[in-house]
Amino acid sequence: IMEIIVAKSAGFCFGVDRAVKSVYDNISNKPLYTYGPIIHNLQVVNELEDKGVKVVNNIEELRKLEKGKVIIRSHGVEEKIYEIIKDSGFSIVDATCPYVKKIHHIVNDYSKKGDTIIIIGDSTHPEVIGIKGWSTRETIIIENVEDAKKLDIPKDTHLCVVAQTTLNYLKYQEIIEIILDKGYHVDIKNTICRATRDRQEEAINLSKKVDKMLVIGGKHSSNTRKLYQLCKNQCDNTYHIETIEDLELLVFSKNEIIGITAGASTPKNIIQEVITHVRNTERN
Ligand code: F3S
């Protein structure tokens, strides 16, 4: 009999799952808005829109709308956004991931103490913009090794270093070493979240022991593509599946072991659909 093994870490991480749930929990309380798309998955965002949940991209847009509830997504936002939303007459449902919230607290506390804050991450990413907005003083964003090398501030500066939750650990370590070498007084807070790494490690281990490995997620989703590549290195029969149509040419036979994982913005029901489809196409 065919065996299907689904990775425990497939799909939404804890924080995204929590944020999406908070939308559904509030769905009967209209008008309901999300501050930015709740996840990077068009199907889910469209489905929510059909149910009357509107995506608001900035404060100017929000101010023109009928008063209602605004959901802050897992990435979090700057401190001042909370004030502006409330002052504009809207109420807030805060679905900021607790791991991101923790960074907000660190940055707020340490900057109030007088430390210079360093954020390692992508300066254009909403999570990083949000984190920066909790610092009460000078904040430096380091995106790469070159930025770290260029760091040139007085030697007696106290630094507090945090990282974007989804940062690659090796890149983080490399940057930290460069900062440490410069001899500042530095407090390092490793705020990288394990969700991405756990998903990758589990996918690698699973793909080692299966006959076919299915990686479900958007063709443009970078974390899904990364997962696919990692699995492909272990298992030649690895397939990137975006929709059921991608399964059509595949044949699954009775004695095979099929492994399944999914990228960070793949909802459970799509994973379930794939499982059902695989079961239904099983051959002798
Ligand atoms: Fe997800 Fe929160 Fe980690 S949103 S990736 S569990 S920081």
Side-chain angles (χ1 to χ4, degrees):
I1 207 140
M2 178 171 64
E3 194 186 345
I4 299 179
I5 307 173
V6 183
K8 280 196 207 68
S9 55
F12 294 175
C13 61
F14 154 78
V16 168
D17 194 44
R18 190 171 162 272
V20 173
K21 280 209 180 87
S22 77
V23 180
Y24 283 98
D25 287 348
N26 285 283
I27 208 133
S28 51
N29 282 306
K30 304 260 179 24
L32 185 61
Y33 309 104
T34 64
Y35 200 74
I38 196 78
I39 55 167
H40 293 292
N41 180 295
L42 211 57
Q43 282 110 305
V44 174
V45 173
N46 288 344
E47 190 190 303
L48 287 171
E49 199 146 275
D50 288 343
K51 293 189 158 67
V53 183
K54 193 172 166 32
V55 177
V56 184
N57 295 300
N58 53 53
I59 294 292
E60 291 72 50
E61 260 180 46
L62 184 67
R63 284 196 175 121
K64 294 186 198 122
L65 298 166
E66 191 192 338
K67 307 279 178 277
K69 274 191 177 176
V70 181
I71 298 182
I72 309 279
R73 57 188 177 167
S74 57
H75 293 321
V77 293
E78 298 149 86
E79 187 176 20
K80 67 172 189 224
I81 300 285
Y82 287 84
E83 298 310 316
I84 302 175
I85 292 176
K86 282 190 215 145
D87 290 348
S88 311
F90 294 81
S91 62
I92 293 176
V93 177
D94 192 355
T96 305
C97 176
Y99 301 135
V100 176
K101 202 72 226 162
K102 193 177 128 202
I103 309 179
H104 293 173
H105 289 310
I106 293 171
V107 163
N108 199 248
D109 292 349
Y110 278 77
S111 60
K112 279 182 179 154
K113 234 178 60 186
D115 282 13
T116 294
I117 305 294
I118 291 194
I119 307 168
I120 308 177
D122 171 358
S123 63
T124 62
H125 192 285
E127 181 192 319
V128 173
I129 296 170
I131 294 170
K132 184 164 186 263
W134 285 84
S135 167
T136 57
R137 51 197 316 278
E138 188 194 2
T139 303
I140 300 165
I141 299 176
I142 291 188
E143 295 202 320
N144 48 41
V145 167
E146 287 68 48
D147 287 352
K149 283 183 183 154
K150 274 189 262 161
L151 184 68
D152 184 24
I153 45 179
K155 283 285 174 266
D156 56 352
T157 313
H158 278 255
L159 298 178
C160 169
V161 183
V162 296
Q164 186 178 344
T165 53
T166 47
L167 197 72
N168 175 287
Y169 187 69
L170 294 176
K171 184 173 163 186
Y172 167 80
Q173 268 180 323
E174 214 181 330
I175 291 173
I176 290 291
E177 306 246 310
I178 297 170
I179 297 173
L180 283 175
D181 272 352
K182 293 188 182 250
Y184 299 109
H185 306 269
V186 54
D187 251 305
I188 292 169
K189 308 285 181 193
N190 179 358
T191 54
I192 297 177
C193 167
R194 285 212 49 113
T196 310
R197 235 169 112 196
D198 287 349
R199 190 184 299 107
Q200 290 178 351
E201 279 170 13
E202 197 187 4
I204 293 169
N205 289 331
L206 182 56
S207 56
K208 278 180 195 161
K209 58 182 190 201
V210 298
D211 300 299
K212 287 197 178 77
M213 185 74 196
L214 309 180
V215 181
I216 313 168
K219 288 268 149 79
H220 298 287
S221 149
S222 62
N223 82 83
T224 308
R225 277 155 65 171
K226 175 91 196 192
L227 267 183
Y228 167 80
Q229 206 45 60
L230 293 170
C231 293
K232 184 85 181 167
N233 293 345
Q234 308 298 332
C235 170
D236 244 354
N237 301 317
T238 295
Y239 305 93
H240 185 161
I241 308 293
E242 181 161 9
T243 63
I244 299 294
E245 278 93 80
D246 297 320
L247 285 168
E248 255 151 37
L249 294 172
L250 294 177
V251 176
F252 302 97
S253 43
K254 261 207 157 67
N255 45 17
E256 277 185 330
I257 305 175
I258 315 293
I260 295 181
T261 189
S265 36
T266 307
K268 283 242 160 32
N269 62 315
I270 297 182
I271 303 174
Q272 197 48 55
E273 250 175 61
V274 171
I275 297 171
T276 310
H277 190 94
V278 171
R279 286 235 175 277
N280 291 342
T281 49
E282 181 181 339
R283 303 264 167 80
N284 288 327

